[in-house]
Amino acid sequence: MRKILSLLALLFASALAHAGDAPSLPKLQLDPARVAVAGLSSGAYMAAQAQIAYPEIFHGAALVAGGPYGCAGGQLATAIGSCMKGAPAPDVGALVARARKLSADGRIRPLAQLAGSHVYLLHGKADAMVVPSVAEAGARFYESLRDSVPGLEGMRVRDDGARAFAHNLPVAGKGDDCSTSVSPFLGHCGFDAAGTIFAELFGKPAHAVTAPRGELRTFGQDALRPDGKDAFLAAEGYVYLPPSCAAGKPCGLLVALHGCKQNAEAVGEAFVRDAGFNRWADAYDVAVLYPQARASFAPLNPQACWDWWGYSGADYDTRQGVQLRWLVDAVRALGLPAKR
């Protein structure tokens, strides 16, 4: 028994030492006007939650194969049915009404702060996981906000749903995985989604790009737990630094959120290296933050999805949500001023 206890103590001490050795996020000269978020699938739902809850921070959002904000209503069954298969169809009017109430109650920021934001919604006609009608409901949600909330007339919403690809993030090369949804969920469709996302969120690039020239680093995610609370994330995340950002020049930020079963534990560094964001980051002087969720059975999240149905708590899609609070703390750790 003593040997077992000694071994457990040694393992615990080793884990603590490893956590203490995890590098911190670098402090950058972040331009607060150039901070945006993008995601695939559960990452797309999470990206919408981040922008709706914190529009003063995330001025643009790119949603790939995601549906409307608040779709699941805290219910996994609704997430799987209405918000993935479109059965029944998401009630966009009710979801807009809920967002307006959350805003009035102070649980998300005033929706008028979405003024001037850019929203790009990309989804494939062959997507059987999150069907096109659900993604189009996501576009209608934003369009309804734009058309009904005073001051949002200038919000730009682009619904890009005419392309033939499955439940993937399309990448520039061509291959036989565009019409299927297989790990690591990067479909070689001959379409550079990352480049289009950057153009939609940050404008035209200053110059063409080839291979990334910056540095991909790991950092310790546990150090950013809000008030010490478990955010159900992996121990380490990734951040890509273009040469200009690493040199201390003014820098934008794109938070890139993986989809279910696309975290580093499941696919290695495929998403953080091969999704296409890093080479465009160099052209735009924009760092890329790649947070990593973790798989668990308690709470039930075996595919390492981001929380868009409530496994982290009932307030998951508000400013009180632990993952959203972690995300904002990470952006501030990178150099965003705490008071805005």
Side-chain angles (χ1 to χ4, degrees):
M1 181 59 125
R2 287 183 178 178
K3 289 184 177 180
I4 294 175
L5 291 174
S6 297
L7 178 59
L8 289 174
L10 182 62
L11 290 173
F12 182 68
S14 176
L16 287 177
H18 180 71
D21 291 340
S24 301
L25 282 169
K27 186 72 87 173
L28 306 177
Q29 292 297 319
L30 277 192
D31 178 355
R34 295 204 306 144
V35 177
V37 60
L40 169 67
S41 192
S42 75
Y45 273 108
M46 186 68 177
Q49 292 170 184
Q51 188 193 35
I52 295 295
Y54 289 91
E56 79 280 17
I57 293 177
F58 300 103
H59 303 291
L63 318 181
V64 184
Y69 169 79
C71 185
Q75 300 295 322
L76 179 57
T78 303
I80 295 172
S82 180
C83 307
M84 293 178 66
K85 303 303 181 183
D91 187 339
V92 173
L95 295 174
V96 170
R98 176 179 179 266
R100 298 188 73 149
K101 186 176 189 310
L102 289 174
S103 178
D105 292 345
R107 297 179 65 194
I108 61 176
R109 292 288 282 188
L111 293 171
Q113 292 192 3
L114 288 164
S117 62
H118 294 178
V119 185
Y120 174 56
L121 303 103
L122 173 65
H123 50 101
K125 294 190 296 182
D127 193 334
M129 186 70 66
V130 177
V131 297
S133 63
V134 171
E136 288 164 5
R140 291 199 306 275
F141 173 87
Y142 275 102
E143 290 166 351
S144 181
L145 287 183
R146 180 195 62 198
D147 297 340
S148 64
V149 176
L152 294 190
E153 299 84 0
M155 184 170 70
R156 190 176 73 189
V157 181
R158 182 185 171 198
D159 182 14
D160 186 351
R163 306 176 191 273
F165 63 92
H167 193 69
N168 299 306
L169 178 70
V171 295
K174 291 186 177 182
D176 58 4
D177 56 3
C178 183
S179 60
T180 60
S181 297
V182 295
S183 182
F185 306 102
L186 301 175
H188 293 78
C189 304
F191 169 58
D192 185 1
T196 301
I197 286 170
F198 264 95
E200 289 288 336
L201 300 183
F202 299 105
K204 293 182 178 180
H207 55 81
V209 297
T210 53
R213 298 178 295 105
E215 181 182 358
L216 183 69
R217 300 182 185 178
T218 59
F219 69 95
Q221 297 195 140
D222 286 342
L224 296 167
R225 290 186 176 193
D227 299 324
K229 294 181 179 179
D230 189 358
F232 308 102
L233 305 184
E236 289 188 338
Y238 295 81
V239 61
Y240 176 79
L241 301 178
S244 59
C245 298
K249 296 181 179 179
C251 188
L253 176 67
L254 177 68
V255 178
L257 301 168
H258 62 74
C260 301
K261 298 190 293 186
Q262 203 182 29
N263 57 314
E265 186 176 1
V267 303
E269 295 184 344
F271 180 70
V272 301
R273 289 192 181 275
D274 301 331
F277 293 115
N278 298 345
R279 66 191 187 98
W280 287 108
D282 287 357
Y284 285 86
D285 298 329
V286 169
V288 185
L289 180 69
Y290 294 102
Q292 299 292 305
R294 76 170 188 261
S296 65
F297 287 96
L300 186 61
N301 180 32
Q303 297 181 355
C305 303
W306 291 97
D307 187 9
W308 62 281
W309 69 84
Y311 69 75
S312 68
D315 53 6
Y316 67 98
D317 62 352
T318 73
R319 292 173 72 89
Q320 291 74 44
V322 68
Q323 288 189 349
L324 288 176
R325 291 171 61 203
W326 182 96
L327 195 61
V328 169
D329 286 349
V331 174
R332 287 175 175 154
L334 280 165
L336 188 76
K339 294 182 180 181
R340 290 187 36 73

